[in-house]
Amino acid sequence: MLEKRVKSGLAVTPRHLKLCDDNLRRAGVGSRNDFVEQAIEFYCSHLISRELSAMGGKSQVPMERFETLSRALGTGQYKLSVEVAIMTRILARMAQVPDSEVRSIQADCAREVKRLGRAPTFLQSARRERDGLTADDSARFFADDNAEDDDLT
C-alpha cells in the first residue's frame, strides 16, 4: 500500500527548509520527506477546491480531479489509521483491560464525542479521568474549555 519514494533532487531555500523543520511536529510527521508529501497533497487539494469553487456548477467537473483528491485524502487517512492502530496495540498490550471494561469505555467515549461535537484532546481526557467525570459531566466540564488551549504545538 505504501508507495516507493523517488529521489528527485528537489532544491529549496534555507528559509523554506527552516519552515519545514520548525513545523514537523505541528504537522505530525517525523521527517522532511513526510512533511513535503503532506504539503504537496494539501496544496493540490486547495487548488482543486479553488478550481471547483470557480466552476460554480457551470460545467462538468473532470473525474480525474476527484480521483486525485480521493487518493490524497485516502493516503492521509491510511497513515493516520496505521498510527492509531499502533497506539491501540501498544495500549492493549500494556493495559490488559477486561472486555467488559473496554466496551464500557467505548460507549462512554462515543457519548462524549457526540456531546462535544468533536474528539476531546488528550489533556481534556486526562483531566476527565483524573477527576472521575462521566460523559455527561465532561460535556458540561468542557463547555467553556477552549480546545486551542490544549494544543501544545
Side-chain angles (χ1 to χ4, degrees):
M1 190 84 190
L2 294 176
E3 296 177 49
K4 183 178 179 185
R5 288 187 170 152
V6 177
K7 290 192 178 205
S8 65
L10 182 67
V12 295
T13 66
R15 181 177 69 86
H16 287 101
L17 196 56
K18 182 171 179 0
L19 279 171
C20 177
D21 290 342
D22 291 347
N23 288 284
L24 290 176
R25 192 177 71 126
R26 183 173 287 119
V29 297
S31 70
R32 290 174 177 167
N33 286 332
D34 290 340
F35 183 88
V36 170
E37 286 174 355
Q38 278 193 7
I40 291 169
E41 289 174 3
F42 179 83
Y43 189 63
C44 289
S45 296
H46 165 73
L47 292 173
I48 291 168
S49 174
R50 191 172 68 185
E51 186 176 296
L52 291 175
S53 294
M55 291 176 133
K58 296 175 188 171
S59 63
Q60 277 198 335
V61 177
M63 201 58 201
E64 62 270 7
R65 293 290 189 190
F66 284 115
E67 291 170 1
T68 301
L69 179 59
S70 295
R71 267 195 309 278
L73 293 174
T75 300
Q77 186 175 11
Y78 171 78
K79 289 178 179 180
L80 286 173
S81 295
V82 169
E83 293 299 317
V84 169
I86 291 168
M87 295 306 298
T88 302
R89 181 84 48 95
I90 290 169
L91 290 172
R93 285 185 183 172
M94 290 173 50
Q96 298 182 6
V97 178
D99 289 354
S100 60
E101 182 67 16
V102 172
R103 282 192 283 281
S104 173
I105 291 170
Q106 182 180 21
D108 194 41
C109 287
R111 283 190 302 274
E112 183 174 40
V113 168
K114 285 178 186 175
R115 289 191 190 283
L116 292 174
R118 60 178 171 78
T121 64
F122 183 83
L123 184 57
Q124 288 173 326
S125 293
R127 288 175 185 162
R128 179 180 178 271
E129 291 300 317
R130 181 191 63 225
D131 297 339
L133 300 173
T134 66
D136 294 334
D137 294 333
S138 67
R140 288 187 295 276
F141 183 73
F142 297 136
D144 298 327
D145 201 11
N146 186 352
E148 294 173 6
D149 293 341
D150 295 331
D151 186 11
L152 302 177
T153 57

